[in-house]
Amino acid sequence: MPEDFSREEWDGILYFLASITNMIGKVLHDYEICGTENLPEGPGIIIYYHGSSPLDYAFFVNKLYTTGKQCFSVVDHLFHYLPGIELNRKVWKLCLTREECVEILKKGYLVGIAPGGLREQNYGDNTYRLVWGKRKGFAQVAIDTKVPIIPMFTQNIREGYRTCGNIWPMRWLYELTRYLIFPTFGPIPVKLRTHIGEPIPYDPNITAEELVEKTKTAMEALRDKHQKIPGSIRRALWERFEKHHKTR
């Protein structure tokens, strides 16, 4: 992992790009974040739902950057094979290994992880069920580094971007290669609102498996509080024009 976590020569460029991304999020989806008071001042692991597109997470990270906070991002293993990955991981603050996550957390930064990853992106639908399988690496990292887990969910992300091709041949190819991204259509200019839940504090007496279940419960509670299921494109479009957000 590079030692220069915040290279000054990139700061101006990154701030400009983040501001442009914020503007795109506002124009496309009237994007906003609720619950920033739940973000810790120090390190923590943000666990988020992976929709058909990770654009909501990109909006979140860039909006956070313009407020002075940095969030590193764990990316799928297929990124290992992309050209220029070394430069990209330095500039865009990407994590490729568990060891890098531990190092970054120990330096006091936030780290964003979508346990469902590409599988959740491909197989998810407007019921917003979690597709995590048996993944528990994030929980073990949280225990090893003694940091809180912060659940995060973006309302209407499945209505803004829809996955196509969830049929047997596509699923077979994905399971065979683990590199296949199902076709996605969008953007649909629905309201996107990212909700940050209350942190799950470090508990020395909990196992990784128990922490995974605790995180799932918190994620599902956050989803059920803010997302009407099944999701509806028409309703999500209407929510964009509501003058006042009603907390359910």
Side-chain angles (χ1 to χ4, degrees):
M1 190 66 198
E3 295 181 0
D4 50 345
F5 283 101
S6 57
R7 299 181 59 183
E8 293 182 1
E9 60 265 36
W10 289 103
D11 283 350
I13 297 173
L14 291 177
Y15 190 89
F16 173 75
L17 292 175
S19 299
I20 294 296
T21 303
N22 289 345
M23 184 174 65
I24 293 172
K26 190 67 176 176
V27 171
L28 284 181
H29 300 292
D30 192 26
Y31 179 76
E32 63 177 307
I33 303 174
C34 300
T36 53
E37 67 276 5
N38 290 322
L39 292 174
E41 290 298 324
I45 296 177
I46 296 173
I47 297 297
Y48 66 97
Y49 174 80
H50 201 309
S52 301
S53 167
L55 267 180
D56 61 316
Y57 178 72
F59 294 150
F60 165 76
V61 169
N62 282 279
K63 198 171 184 67
L64 207 62
Y65 185 82
T66 57
T67 65
K69 292 181 73 71
Q70 295 186 30
C71 181
F72 285 72
S73 305
V74 174
V75 294
D76 194 272
H77 63 280
L78 65 84
F79 278 79
H80 285 260
Y81 306 104
L82 295 180
I85 184 59
E86 285 302 315
L87 176 61
N88 279 305
R89 75 188 185 106
K90 292 178 183 179
V91 175
W92 301 113
K93 300 174 177 58
L94 307 179
C95 300
L96 301 178
T97 67
R98 182 180 299 188
E99 292 71 26
E100 288 180 0
C101 288
V102 171
E103 181 182 349
I104 290 165
L105 289 165
K106 286 182 177 179
K107 289 182 179 289
Y109 293 94
L110 294 170
V111 173
I113 302 174
L118 186 55
R119 178 181 295 275
E120 191 165 71
Q121 174 177 326
N122 285 340
Y123 291 171
D125 55 27
N126 65 347
T127 63
Y128 289 89
R129 65 187 178 90
L130 301 182
V131 187
W132 289 7
K134 297 181 179 180
R135 292 185 175 179
K136 61 178 182 179
F138 73 89
Q140 191 60 58
V141 169
I143 292 171
D144 292 344
T145 54
K146 301 179 181 180
V147 302
I149 287 178
I150 305 95
M152 187 172 80
F153 176 82
T154 298
Q155 180 182 349
N156 297 327
I157 185 59
R158 284 283 172 185
E159 284 60 67
Y161 302 85
R162 284 290 175 93
T163 299
C164 311
N166 189 2
I167 55 177
W168 180 83
M170 297 288 281
R171 291 194 295 270
W172 179 81
L173 281 173
Y174 169 74
E175 296 297 339
L176 181 67
T177 66
R178 299 298 175 90
Y179 294 125
L180 183 66
I181 299 176
F182 292 0
T184 302
F185 72 87
I188 301 169
V190 302
K191 175 70 177 182
L192 292 186
R193 185 181 286 115
T194 292
H195 299 275
I196 303 170
E198 294 183 3
I200 301 171
Y202 165 69
D203 181 353
N205 300 314
I206 198 172
T207 66
E209 291 79 6
E210 291 170 338
L211 185 53
V212 169
E213 291 305 314
K214 194 171 184 178
T215 306
K216 278 185 178 180
T217 299
M219 284 288 292
E220 289 169 345
L222 193 64
R223 174 201 65 194
D224 294 345
K225 181 179 180 181
H226 299 289
Q227 180 69 55
K228 291 184 178 178
I229 298 175
S232 162
I233 292 177
R234 183 172 63 178
R235 183 173 59 239
L237 285 168
W238 173 251
E239 287 176 0
R240 179 165 185 169
F241 301 101
E242 288 181 335
K243 291 185 179 181
H244 302 286
H245 171 52
K246 297 179 180 179
T247 303
R248 291 184 293 278

